[in-house]
Amino acid sequence: MKKGWLFALSLLSSCPSYAQDEYLSDWWHQSINVIGRYHTRFGPILTNDLYPEYTAFGKKDWFDFYGYVDIPKFFGVGNPPDHGAWDDGSPVFTEIEPRFSLDKLMDVSLAFGPFKEWYFANNYIYDMGDNRASRQSTWYMGLGTDIDTGSPVSLALDIYAKYQWQNYAAANENEWDGYRFKVKYNVPITRIFGAQFSYVGFTNFDFGSELGDRDKSRTNDSIASTHILALTWAHWKTSVTARYFHNGGQWKDNAKLNFGDGDFYVKATGWAGYFTVGYAF
């Protein structure tokens, strides 16, 4: 899954400034969203869904946070291979990205060149599932930094090592297996219809795994590249997203599988689409 922050990341980077009494907190930003997704490719079968999501993000002193919680297929909308909260699928999917400023914790500036600040960066993903084959628990940990672009464009980089606990019964459970390089950026474009219009993007490059060496239907690397056009008002937000997968979820594109209902071919490379409406409070 791992799709909920497609919209929330745009809020993290592109929210305009409003009076603090517009919100419950002056730094802990929250929103409730409804997301429709089409042809997500994190698993071996294309899935569609419509679901609610809670997101939160904020930065204060040494703490930088982003996270979301989804209730998959909450509205009962989705294609037959897709399962969610009410039909023996996952009742909860969550992802958090806490970063801890090394500069502020050590009370020393580590900045040099274009690198403004350094972090102990984390990315934790948990899919509750309803059995071992539908559960995931993954912790990426490493080093992150914010880049001074000399322009209104924001840019952040994170590099992680991955510890894989549960992974939908894959061969790499309960071990260190691979790395992730993440690029995040925001390009404010203009104001339109009283809202901030922005282009937001982020790409995950996963590499160095050994899963593909153990399972011919899996790969050692994958890419998920997300491109968002977002409109952000004081409270209401909307966005459209195009996401490109290459071997999504480390599934080998066009591999032949059979889960008991006949042979099929993995569709792990290609585009997916998302549409989101949200309310921030």
Side-chain angles (χ1 to χ4, degrees), residues 1 55 70-71 73 100 107 123 127 133 143 159 184 188 268 271:
M1 209 182 287
T55 65
D70 294 342
I71 305 178
K73 207 176 176 184
F100 306 95
D107 196 24
N123 186 177
D127 188 352
L143 191 64
I159 182 74
K184 300 177 286 187
W271 289 92

Side-chain angles (χ1 to χ4, degrees), residues 13 24 39 43 75 86 98 108 121 130 177 240 260 274 276:
S13 301
L24 296 180
H39 278 184
F75 301 107
W86 318 122
V108 61
D130 76 333
D177 185 48
V240 291
Y274 303 75
T276 304

